[in-house]
Amino acid sequence: MLVIAYLAFVVLLASCLGLELSRCQAKPPGRACSNPSFLRFQLDFYQVYFLALAADWLQAPYLYKLYQHYHFLEGQIAILYVCGLASTVLFGLVASSLVDWLGRKKSCVLFSLTYSLCCLTKLSWDYFVLLMGRALGGLSTALLFSAFEAWYIHEHVERHDFPAEWIPATFARAAFWNHVLAVVAGVAAEAVACWMGLGPVAPFVAAIPLLALAGALALHNWGENYDRQRAFSRTCAGGLRCLLSDRRVLLLGTIQALFESVIFIFVFLWTPVLDPHGAPLGIVFSSFMAASLLGSSLYRIATSKRYHLQPMHLLSLAVLIVVFSLFMLTFSTSPGQENPVESFIAFLLIELACGLYFPSMSFLRRKVIPETEQAGVLNWFRVPLHLLACLGLLVLHDSDHKTGTRNMFSICSAVMVMALLAVVGLFTVVRHNAELRVPSPTGEPYAPEL
């Protein structure tokens, strides 16, 4: 597994670099990219945002391994993950209102503080302290994916008066560098945990200075901004009305809940599947992120003027790839007949599918859900998503260790078949809907990838 992991990482990284270099050479420079004021503003945002993302990714490869290192059973670790998911959904429901009330800059600083505390709890062997850390991690995740984007959009439009059409360029670049940071973070986690021999807690300690620097830069360089609050009950009520009145929104929410709940379970299961066979966890994680980056690059190529495939087609392909991968995993994790190389390949295919799925889903959500109702609708999407993931982990908690993993992949396969049926239903509804198609571009598109 050691050689296979490093070889896969090198091949995937080389493929990503080749695709991105060819895309950069073919893409003409845009007006936004040559504006000095805009570039300075982008840099102020990226300095803080990328530090926050790097700290987040640095912790991912060794979370499960850390709990194993503290001699917790798989069922106990599953409960820790359930606590984190439940915390994410609860805080996620009120994150937008909290950020608007507290202020976006203060919320970003609060993120740095709470996530630093979350990392410090990883130094403890006490199960209750670790549970509290997972709750803090849920709050931090909710802030990471609400406060930073809200701060940027308000500053971009209200304070600097830049054209709103430039916003997609910023987040397209952020999405690309987010993948790059994830790849680098996996290698860095492997370096501090294994190459330096500091153990699985080292990546969490290493994340704290990054979080502190992000908070300090936001405090020093950013201005504060607020927004008028919309009542939480009105937001949810409006989202529910939109969800029930438009079949496209309902089917899209069903696909998201089923697909992403399976991805949450995959995040939990990959370490216990590969770690017993000597896999270098940081390099494996970097390979996953490189596969996801490759999927995102393929999405951009597929929706370009040369091939002009539609996001709906790529969403269908992503779901099909995950269905196939999960069927592979039901056989490769069979007790007594484990095949770690086959499992690793299946995991890479799942990450490749994620690289296709997320930009496709984001494009379709933007087109289907009215902008004023997106927050409310996404709140309703998150509830079944996290509920399904929590139920899956609780089922695993009550299963025998030798058969539980295989059974969980079998259940995930059935769930993804349901997601595939929902995709077919959505395709039937929207096949003649020109609004959900990428228009014929005059240049290389970047907005649809968000």
Side-chain angles (χ1 to χ4, degrees), residues 166-230:
W166 292 1
I167 293 176
T170 296
F171 289 112
R173 186 174 296 175
F176 169 75
W177 285 106
N178 183 34
H179 278 101
V180 173
L181 287 169
V183 173
V184 174
V187 176
E190 185 70 18
V192 297
C194 291
W195 301 345
M196 297 181 185
L198 300 178
V201 75
F204 299 92
V205 176
I208 295 175
L210 299 179
L211 292 166
L213 183 57
L217 286 174
L219 200 61
H220 183 264
N221 295 337
W222 287 10
E224 185 60 277
N225 62 61
Y226 301 86
D227 199 6
R228 289 185 302 171
Q229 299 177 58
R230 186 183 180 189

Side-chain angles (χ1 to χ4, degrees), residues 324-375:
F324 173 74
S325 302
L326 290 168
F327 277 121
M328 282 180 63
L329 287 163
T330 59
F331 294 102
S332 64
T333 57
S334 181
Q337 301 177 1
E338 293 90 350
N339 188 330
V341 174
E342 186 177 324
S343 297
F344 180 48
I345 293 171
F347 289 148
L348 290 175
L349 287 173
I350 290 174
E351 286 290 350
L352 178 71
C354 287
L356 295 170
Y357 165 84
F358 284 107
S360 302
M361 176 60 73
S362 181
F363 176 85
L364 292 170
R365 274 203 311 258
R366 268 202 332 272
K367 295 294 184 180
V368 168
I369 306 171
E371 186 176 351
T372 55
E373 303 296 347
Q374 284 200 12

Side-chain angles (χ1 to χ4, degrees), residues 175-304:
F176 169 75
W177 285 106
N178 183 34
H179 278 101
V180 173
L181 287 169
V183 173
V184 174
V187 176
E190 185 70 18
V192 297
C194 291
W195 301 345
M196 297 181 185
L198 300 178
V201 75
F204 299 92
V205 176
I208 295 175
L210 299 179
L211 292 166
L213 183 57
L217 286 174
L219 200 61
H220 183 264
N221 295 337
W222 287 10
E224 185 60 277
N225 62 61
Y226 301 86
D227 199 6
R228 289 185 302 171
Q229 299 177 58
R230 186 183 180 189
F232 178 70
S233 58
R234 288 181 59 193
T235 300
C236 289
L240 184 60
R241 279 195 302 271
C242 180
L243 191 66
L244 298 178
S245 63
D246 191 335
R247 191 181 174 197
R248 299 175 306 167
V249 178
L250 186 60
L251 286 168
L252 209 60
T254 302
I255 296 164
Q256 179 175 341
L258 295 174
F259 187 99
E260 295 183 26
S261 63
V262 168
I263 299 304
F264 275 121
I265 294 170
F266 151 70
V267 167
F268 175 81
L269 287 175
W270 73 265
T271 302
V273 169
L274 298 179
D275 186 45
H277 302 281
L281 298 181
I283 300 302
V284 167
F285 179 80
S286 291
S287 300
F288 290 165
M289 295 300 100
S292 181
L293 177 58
L294 181 62
S296 295
S297 299
L298 291 173
Y299 173 87
R300 286 192 291 271
I301 292 170
T303 54
S304 68

Side-chain angles (χ1 to χ4, degrees), residues 427-441:
F427 194 83
T428 303
V429 172
V430 306
R431 61 184 172 183
H432 300 304
N433 193 336
E435 180 190 3
L436 301 185
R437 300 176 66 84
V438 176
S440 298

Side-chain angles (χ1 to χ4, degrees), residues 345-412:
I345 293 171
F347 289 148
L348 290 175
L349 287 173
I350 290 174
E351 286 290 350
L352 178 71
C354 287
L356 295 170
Y357 165 84
F358 284 107
S360 302
M361 176 60 73
S362 181
F363 176 85
L364 292 170
R365 274 203 311 258
R366 268 202 332 272
K367 295 294 184 180
V368 168
I369 306 171
E371 186 176 351
T372 55
E373 303 296 347
Q374 284 200 12
V377 171
L378 289 177
N379 281 341
W380 288 105
F381 283 6
R382 289 187 190 105
V383 172
L385 189 163
H386 289 86
L387 181 61
L388 284 170
C390 289
L391 286 174
L393 292 175
L394 289 174
V395 168
L396 186 66
H397 166 62
D398 292 330
S399 301
D400 176 68
H401 172 70
K402 292 183 178 180
T403 59
T405 300
R406 182 175 186 266
N407 291 342
M408 183 50 58
F409 283 127
S410 300
I411 293 171
C412 288

Side-chain angles (χ1 to χ4, degrees), residues 62-63 65-66 69 193 198-204:
Y62 278 90
L63 181 60
K65 182 70 173 180
L66 177 70
H69 178 71
L198 300 178
V201 75
F204 299 92

Side-chain angles (χ1 to χ4, degrees), residues 12-22:
L12 288 166
L13 195 58
S15 302
C16 292
L17 287 172
L19 287 175
E20 288 301 323
L21 286 174
S22 63

